[in-house]
Amino acid sequence: MKRFKITKVLSLALAAAFAVSVFSTNVFAASRADEYKRELTAEEIQCIYSMFDAEYYAKANADVVDALGTSDASVLFAHFLNYGLWEERQPSAIFNIDVYATRNIDLRAEYGDDIVAYYVHYATHPEEVTWRVVPTLGDASRNNVTVYSVYDMVKGSQSAVKEGAWPVQVPLSSPQAGMTDTQIIQAYIDAGILQ
């Protein structure tokens, strides 16, 4: 009987600790997004719109589709502008804001943690696509790159991120040269690195 009570108490304690950690993580992400959120100009909105893929956004963010009750492109774009952008949700399969900021040290030095500046730069400099890195998690993984949040970038510094910054993606233990972006993302999910 005592063993059952101890097991039950430990299970409840573990469940409570898990709930608190999940809640704390979500609160941290929300507060961080709120810290950076600002009004966008018409030009910024147009740049971001040019990169937005509603079909991808709906597939990658089932929670948003469930909450909104629709996968209408204009409704999803409005969600992205008001919430997803600031929460670092990705607008398309071909652009990951954290990878773009991490891997382009010249832009990091210029823009720091200004998330919108990276979107505008990418959208307004198509000629740079030929020589800039591919801004996807798969490309970062294939090139063994540790990726940090755009919010951890430091303006004026080409190499530094904020002290205490945690990576949003670390390289897998083996090179992923032959894998597609989808396979690499699935490997991260299987390894418990991504959700």
Side-chain angles (χ1 to χ4, degrees):
M1 186 68 165
K2 276 188 173 182
R3 184 176 281 224
F4 175 73
K5 283 185 178 181
I6 291 171
T7 304
K8 189 174 181 179
V9 168
L10 289 174
S11 295
L12 288 173
L14 182 60
F18 178 74
V20 167
S21 69
V22 168
F23 177 74
S24 300
T25 301
N26 290 340
V27 167
F28 177 72
S31 66
R32 197 166 186 187
D34 290 341
E35 178 184 336
Y36 288 91
K37 190 173 184 178
R38 66 172 174 79
E39 292 292 319
L40 299 172
T41 67
E43 178 189 8
E44 291 169 336
I45 292 170
Q46 186 59 41
C47 287
I48 294 166
Y49 180 75
S50 72
M51 301 167 60
F52 187 76
D53 178 348
E55 186 177 329
Y56 168 83
Y57 195 72
K59 286 180 184 175
N61 298 286
D63 62 321
V64 172
V65 174
D66 290 345
L68 297 175
T70 183
S71 60
D72 177 80
S74 61
V75 174
L76 291 174
F77 184 62
H79 178 274
F80 183 72
L81 287 179
N82 290 314
Y83 305 102
L85 167 74
W86 311 106
E87 296 169 351
E88 298 172 89
R89 293 180 189 240
Q90 305 312 308
S92 70
I94 62 169
F95 185 81
N96 181 291
I97 188 66
D98 296 325
V99 173
Y100 193 65
T102 297
R103 297 206 55 208
N104 288 288
I105 59 174
D106 61 321
L107 299 180
R108 184 181 347 157
E110 185 175 346
Y111 302 135
D113 60 4
D114 183 353
I115 191 169
V116 176
Y118 293 98
Y119 279 101
V120 171
H121 186 274
Y122 185 81
T124 59
H125 292 81
E127 72 281 0
E128 294 181 6
V129 170
T130 59
W131 61 270
R132 286 213 182 263
V133 297
V134 177
T136 65
L137 287 171
D139 182 71
S141 182
R142 280 188 295 279
N143 287 288
N144 216 26
V145 174
T146 299
V147 178
Y148 288 91
S149 166
V150 66
Y151 293 140
D152 288 328
M153 302 301 151
V154 178
K155 189 173 186 172
S157 173
Q158 291 189 342
S159 60
V161 294
K162 292 178 182 172
E163 188 174 325
W166 286 53
V168 296
Q169 174 179 292
V170 295
L172 293 173
S173 59
S174 61
Q176 309 303 314
M179 296 174 72
T180 66
D181 285 356
T182 304
Q183 291 168 326
I184 290 171
I185 290 170
Q186 187 59 52
Y188 277 106
I189 291 169
D190 294 345
I193 297 168
L194 293 175
Q195 295 180 12

